[in-house]
């Protein structure tokens, strides 16, 4: 049976993990977002100049 302190430690550890995940950005995700944004800009400018 888990003690209350053990459960609180697990919750605290999980909160720390989630907080650390926010600080670490995945470079693949950043490059994918930049490529998507640039393609949107290109297609919008082509559509406006058409």
């Amino acid at each position: 049976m888990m003690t209350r302190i053990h459960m609180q430690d697990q919750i605290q550890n999980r909160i720390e993990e989630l907080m650390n995940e926010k600080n670490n950005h995945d470079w693949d995700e950043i490059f994918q977002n930049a490529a998507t944004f640039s393609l949107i800009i290109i297609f919008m400018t082509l559509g406006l100049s058409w």
Side-chain angles (χ1 to χ4, degrees):
M1 186 165 128
M2 291 179 139
T3 63
R4 183 175 179 166
I5 295 173
H6 182 67
M7 290 173 60
Q8 287 176 344
D9 287 341
Q10 284 184 334
I11 292 170
Q12 187 65 28
N13 290 340
R14 183 63 181 145
I15 290 172
E16 288 177 6
E17 287 176 9
L18 291 173
M19 294 299 285
N20 289 334
E21 284 179 9
K22 284 186 176 180
N23 295 332
N24 295 333
H25 295 291
D26 189 17
W27 286 107
D28 290 337
E29 183 180 352
I30 293 171
F31 288 134
Q32 183 177 5
N33 289 339
T36 303
F37 184 69
S38 63
L39 285 175
I40 290 171
I41 296 297
I42 290 170
F43 284 118
M44 286 181 66
T45 55
L46 287 174
L48 289 175
S49 65
W50 183 264

